Amino acid sequence: MVISEIKKGVYGMIIHDWDRKLFDELIPLPDGTTYNSYFIRDEKNVLIDTADPSKTMDLVRGLEKIGVDRIDYIVSNHSEQDHSGSIPEMLKRFPGSRVLAGEKASGLLQSMLLIPPEKIEKVKNGQSLSIGRRSLVFMDAPWAHWPETILTYCPEEKILFPCDLFGSHLAESDFYGRSDGKLYASAKRYYAEIMMPFRSNIARHLEAVEALSPEVIAPSHGPVHRNPSFILDAYRDWVSDKVRNQVVIPYVSMHGSVAAMVDFFTNRLIDQGVGAKPFNLVSSDVGELASSLVDAATVVIGSPMVLTGPHPAALYATYLFRILRPKTRFASVIGSFGWGGNMLKMITEMLPGNIEVIEPVIAKGYPLEKDFESLAGLAGKIFEKHEKLGLT
Ligand code: FEO
């Protein structure tokens, strides 16, 4: 754990989970993660967000180090257990405390954490609460990334506590982010996995946050931002409609036919000046794939036929592509089959609905000269599409 006094009487506790490898049993965490909790000492003492239940005792130790003997309010910006999971223990240790949460959060906190309803006080969008010489302003931020999420702002200190928003799954010993490539990559990956499906909501929340001009952004995962423009500029780019001259190619190959097609296709794109990134789904990190989807203009899925449909790994990647809802403009499919099946239909039906599908290339068995010509044609069409968007 690393503790820092951000401003006089405002403490941040970054509780490391160095060894956590997966989040939601889905998202790989190559750099572990952290659960950040914040404490404000004033006439009313406030704890903002807690920690994953597995780290409750770390939070207790952090509060002891700061010398906390009373908590009046526990602000729950977000009901997911990695931030709210230690609230029940906090309520036991500080029985005079009450939970402040968004209007939609009360039911979730009751059902998931068994917090008694009489301990929860709902706060409204825009509501300001005086805690002494400071105040807290609560802002609804639905779908960042749950429907009940709120952001908490302390105007006197100009500190924003946005919970998941602007966070990163990055366990480091530094309290403040270094605004470097590592933090950028972690934050982008985090945005892709958590926030991207709600891009238009995030764009609205971003505008609201920018209007506050915070001096510090203190998320509940990863390092604290004391250079807010670093993360705000990055988010502005990610939520915009801008796409890059890049083709992402998630693929799987059983006997080398699809691999040969992907290899030829990738090199053809590169020769034309189009960025290309193949992801062999057998060994790829799904978080890296998600991150690459944030701004790529085109996605091409590669799959062989298995029994009557696509390889399950290709179907899984297509499903992720659909539910992550990136701003991708174009998609296509390349693949190989032995004797029949519904691979193409199943993949194209699962593609996001608002995407332009460019004619796929499917080979029978190992690709022949005509198939490589078709792949060259597909690369050419993608180049033209990108060129029309002014990307090349
Ligand atoms: Fe970090 Fe949605 O919880």
Side-chain angles (χ1 to χ4, degrees):
M1 174 166 41
V2 55
I3 299 176
S4 184
E5 192 170 11
I6 302 171
K7 300 262 180 107
K8 191 160 176 52
V10 182
Y11 300 85
M13 291 163 280
I14 293 184
I15 296 167
H16 301 106
D17 198 342
W18 301 103
D19 293 332
R20 189 160 180 176
K21 299 291 180 226
L22 270 182
F23 202 90
D24 292 342
E25 303 305 321
L26 171 68
I27 298 168
L29 302 176
D31 298 300
T33 191
T34 75
Y35 318 106
N36 306 351
S37 181
Y38 299 93
F39 177 76
I40 305 177
R41 183 172 282 126
D42 210 312
E43 285 173 24
K44 299 288 186 191
N45 286 350
V46 181
L47 185 67
I48 300 176
D49 292 325
T50 63
D52 189 83
S54 63
K55 297 291 178 185
T56 299
M57 288 316 294
D58 292 62
L59 178 58
V60 169
R61 279 189 284 277
L63 293 171
E64 283 170 0
K65 277 189 186 168
I66 296 170
V68 176
D69 57 3
R70 175 174 55 84
I71 293 175
D72 298 287
Y73 297 119
I74 302 168
V75 174
S76 176
N77 279 320
H78 174 36
S79 309
E80 193 164 7
Q81 291 88 336
D82 51 327
H83 309 292
S84 64
S86 297
I87 292 177
E89 184 62 25
M90 294 297 111
L91 290 172
K92 271 191 216 157
R93 286 174 182 261
F94 302 96
S97 60
R98 294 177 65 72
V99 179
L100 304 181
E103 294 194 84
K104 292 182 184 159
S106 177
L108 288 171
L109 291 170
Q110 289 174 56
S111 62
M112 293 193 302
L113 292 150
L114 310 180
I115 296 173
E118 63 273 14
K119 295 297 287 183
I120 304 171
E121 207 170 298
K122 294 180 188 175
V123 294
K124 288 189 181 353
N125 185 33
Q127 183 179 331
S128 176
L129 173 74
S130 172
I131 57 170
R133 70 176 186 83
R134 306 180 185 89
S135 61
L136 297 177
V137 178
F138 306 105
M139 303 158 61
D140 283 350
W143 304 111
H145 61 125
W146 279 17
E148 86 322 353
T149 309
I150 60 170
L151 317 180
T152 298
Y153 186 58
C154 179
E156 292 78 12
E157 305 289 7
K158 295 187 84 66
I159 304 176
L160 178 75
F161 303 96
C163 199
D164 277 344
L165 191 61
F166 308 125
S168 55
H169 286 309
L170 178 60
E172 287 190 327
S173 55
D174 293 337
F175 184 86
Y176 290 107
R178 285 190 298 277
S179 304
D180 59 7
K182 176 70 178 170
L183 179 56
Y184 181 90
S186 289
K188 185 177 185 183
R189 179 183 174 112
Y190 184 89
Y191 166 83
E193 294 160 338
I194 310 291
M195 301 294 165
M196 187 162 68
F198 312 105
R199 186 167 65 100
S200 56
N201 296 76
I202 304 305
R204 276 195 292 112
H205 304 327
L206 178 63
E207 266 184 38
V209 167
E210 285 176 326
L212 300 171
S213 303
E215 286 178 4
V216 176
I217 293 181
S220 290
H221 291 294
V224 168
H225 304 288
R226 62 178 160 189
N227 171 21
S229 61
F230 171 77
I231 194 69
L232 295 176
D233 289 351
Y235 263 69
R236 200 177 306 114
D237 186 37
W238 300 335
V239 300
S240 76
D241 289 332
K242 277 188 297 180
V243 287
R244 285 197 306 133
N245 179 27
Q246 180 81 7
V247 181
V248 172
I249 310 161
Y251 77 97
V252 58
S253 185
M254 296 192 307
H255 297 290
S257 300
V258 175
M261 296 175 80
V262 167
D263 187 53
F264 174 89
F265 179 60
T266 300
N267 286 319
R268 190 71 181 203
L269 286 167
I270 293 169
D271 286 348
Q272 291 183 106
V274 177
K277 172 73 177 160
F279 285 89
N280 184 337
L281 294 167
V282 175
S283 53
S284 290
D285 177 329
V286 75
E288 278 181 29
L289 172 60
S291 189
S292 76
L293 293 175
V294 168
D295 42 19
T298 300
V299 171
V300 176
I301 309 279
S303 177
M305 186 83 70
V306 177
L307 299 174
T308 58
H311 191 289
L315 212 51
Y316 176 67
T318 311
Y319 179 68
L320 276 183
F321 177 35
R322 181 185 178 91
I323 63 171
L324 289 176
R325 302 173 67 194
K327 52 190 172 184
T328 317
R329 303 290 187 86
F330 313 107
S332 191
V333 183
I334 61 182
S336 165
F337 71 100
W339 51 88
N342 273 329
M343 175 181 71
L344 189 54
K345 183 168 183 290
M346 287 174 70
I347 290 178
T348 49
E349 282 181 356
M350 195 181 277
L351 290 171
N354 56 349
I355 211 155
E356 181 181 337
V357 179
I358 305 173
E359 192 178 350
V361 178
I362 307 296
K364 181 169 170 45
Y366 196 83
L368 303 174
E369 195 53 41
K370 67 179 177 55
D371 301 309
F372 288 117
E373 279 169 18
S374 299
L375 287 168
L378 176 59
K381 280 180 202 157
I382 290 170
F383 173 81
E384 283 169 20
K385 298 280 183 191
H386 287 201
E387 192 177 37
K388 270 192 191 153
L389 290 180
L391 305 179
T392 55

